[in-house]
Amino acid sequence: MGAGGLDVLDGLDRLRLLDGPTPIQRLHRLERQLGPALGGTRLYVKRDDQMALGGGGNKLRKLEFLLGAAVREGCDTFITTGGVQSNHARLSAAASAYAGLACELVLARVVARDDPSYRRNGNILLDGLFGATVHELDGTADTLAFAHERARALKAEGRSAYVVGVGGSSPLGSLGYADCAREITAQEAALSERFEKIVVANGSAGSHAGLAAGFAAMGQDPARVRSFTVLAPEQDARRTTTVLAQDILALLGAQAEIRPDSIDVSGAERGEGYGIPTAAMLATVRLMARTEGLLLDPVYSGKAFAGFLSDACNGAYGEGKAALFVMTGGVPGLFAYQPAFETDAF
Ligand SMILES: *Cc1c(COP(=O)(O)O)cnc(C)c1O
């Protein structure tokens, strides 16, 4: 059935935030650096960090559908939730500015840090530049309940808000990554390459679930996608990702099925938890910067790329095969993690 299972995407309301397909590039220098340990595996990255709007990153793919719905419904305000250093919040602020909507961010102090880099620099600095109103709550607060309260308060003033939960990973938002599966399939044909695995970080699960559902809807194996959870423990992340992928397929009206055993989630790189640096993350961010001049982020892609390389060097992708890592952005987070890079021995 080819891409046919995803034709429904073309009929949905969508606010275009990307300029077109993001590039896929091979990591020649990193391959040479890792040498025979790689067993001839070809390493590629998909540059979902390379988008023009708001510093770029994976959340823009979801926001195309979420803002498309907000605009269609005639909303004047976009409200979303996240942690203080949320990339999703920052890109929601940028995309709302571009769409001409007001933006309110309900951010929780989920990471136990109080230093100025974390509280004021990185994403939260940019939230303010993009003109968003920030509500900062304690780590235990129910941010989504607060967001809905704000929407009610705005409604009483005659305004109309569109509320989106953490990471934009509703089934609708996650369609952005179902479409990315179609994009990757077209790029494989153009490159005459076939990726054994497509690897991504897993936070709110929409990227993994969207890709898996997209491949399944095209009649491909959803187990081609593997993620490294940086937030929920492995079992929880697998369960959440499976249910979300099934909901996305239902929204697509696709006949395909996704079973729990085709959702490949690893907890190997999570460390002590969300937003807490690991030695492997710090080493991997530095390795990528020094060999390829490319920036990973400290919360998501730095941890996931460490897992991608560890799998590659353990022969997971097979002799002479190719594997693709989805670079998801998050570069502003580096500025919030300045103390971690400073104290880590170079
Ligand atoms: C949100 C995010 C992810 C994870 O995507 P989910 O769809 O939430 O799982 C990965 N990388 C970066 C940089 C992110 O901001």
Side-chain angles (χ1 to χ4, degrees):
M1 101 181 158
L6 290 175
D7 285 351
V8 56
L9 290 174
D10 301 323
L12 291 173
D13 291 297
R14 186 168 187 174
L15 182 77
R16 292 282 173 182
L17 302 173
L18 277 67
D19 301 320
T22 59
I24 288 180
Q25 75 185 71
R26 190 165 165 192
L27 303 176
H28 290 287
R29 280 192 46 87
L30 187 59
E31 286 177 20
R32 274 202 295 279
Q33 176 87 15
L34 295 171
L38 267 182
T41 302
R42 296 181 298 286
L43 303 178
Y44 288 85
V45 284
K46 182 157 176 66
R47 300 293 309 279
D48 271 14
D49 59 318
Q50 208 183 80
M51 300 173 185
L53 189 72
N58 68 335
K59 302 309 182 305
L60 287 183
R61 288 192 186 270
K62 304 177 190 176
L63 287 163
E64 287 198 337
F65 290 97
L66 297 170
L67 275 162
V71 169
R72 183 198 61 236
E73 292 176 23
C75 297
D76 56 29
T77 305
F78 191 85
I79 306 181
T80 194
T81 67
V84 169
Q85 286 294 335
S86 166
N87 296 302
H88 168 65
R90 181 243 316 164
L91 288 168
S92 293
S96 296
Y98 176 74
L101 270 67
C103 181
E104 297 202 12
L105 305 173
V106 187
L107 306 182
R109 289 186 281 266
V110 286
V111 176
R113 277 183 54 193
D114 220 10
D115 54 294
S117 300
Y118 199 80
R119 291 288 301 280
R120 290 285 156 252
N121 207 337
N123 283 295
I124 198 153
L125 166 70
L126 302 183
D127 295 343
L129 289 182
F130 292 128
T133 301
V134 175
H135 308 275
E136 213 181 304
L137 312 184
D138 314 334
T140 55
D142 185 341
T143 50
L144 192 58
F146 187 99
H148 283 293
E149 253 170 58
R150 277 298 302 152
R152 276 191 294 276
L154 289 169
K155 192 164 182 219
E157 298 169 17
R159 305 251 310 268
S160 160
Y162 191 89
V163 177
V164 166
V166 68
S169 288
S170 62
L172 182 68
S174 304
L175 291 180
Y177 270 90
D179 200 25
C180 185
R182 184 164 62 165
E183 192 175 303
I184 290 169
T185 300
Q187 287 175 310
E188 283 185 304
L191 289 165
S192 303
E193 191 60 279
R194 150 91 197 175
F195 302 119
E196 288 306 305
K197 279 279 180 184
I198 294 140
V199 176
V200 69
N202 191 328
S204 62
S207 303
H208 182 159
L211 286 168
F215 284 122
M218 291 186 290
Q220 300 183 42
D221 183 4
R224 293 184 75 191
V225 186
R226 173 169 168 82
S227 69
F228 287 89
T229 175
V230 302
L231 180 57
E234 183 177 293
Q235 299 299 334
D236 295 351
R238 184 174 302 128
R239 201 173 311 119
T240 305
T241 308
T242 303
V243 171
L244 182 54
Q246 289 165 344
D247 290 349
I248 298 163
L249 278 180
L251 185 60
L252 286 166
Q255 295 305 309
E257 269 181 53
I258 289 193
R259 296 202 323 271
D261 63 4
S262 53
I263 294 296
D264 180 4
V265 179
S266 168
E269 300 295 334
R270 182 171 165 267
E272 288 174 50
Y274 181 76
I276 303 175
T278 60
M281 178 281 285
L282 293 165
T284 302
V285 169
R286 189 167 294 124
L287 175 68
M288 186 70 143
R290 292 178 181 195
T291 52
E292 295 283 350
L294 295 178
L295 295 173
L296 297 164
D297 81 284
V299 177
Y300 298 93
S301 60
K303 287 184 175 178
F305 196 72
F308 176 73
L309 293 187
S310 154
D311 282 352
C313 293
N314 286 317
Y317 312 127
E319 184 78 34
K321 298 288 175 61
L324 178 70
F325 181 79
V326 184
M327 285 183 72
T328 42
V331 168
L334 287 171
F335 302 101
Y337 281 78
Q338 179 269 334
F341 286 96
E342 185 175 74
T343 54
D344 184 46
F346 272 69

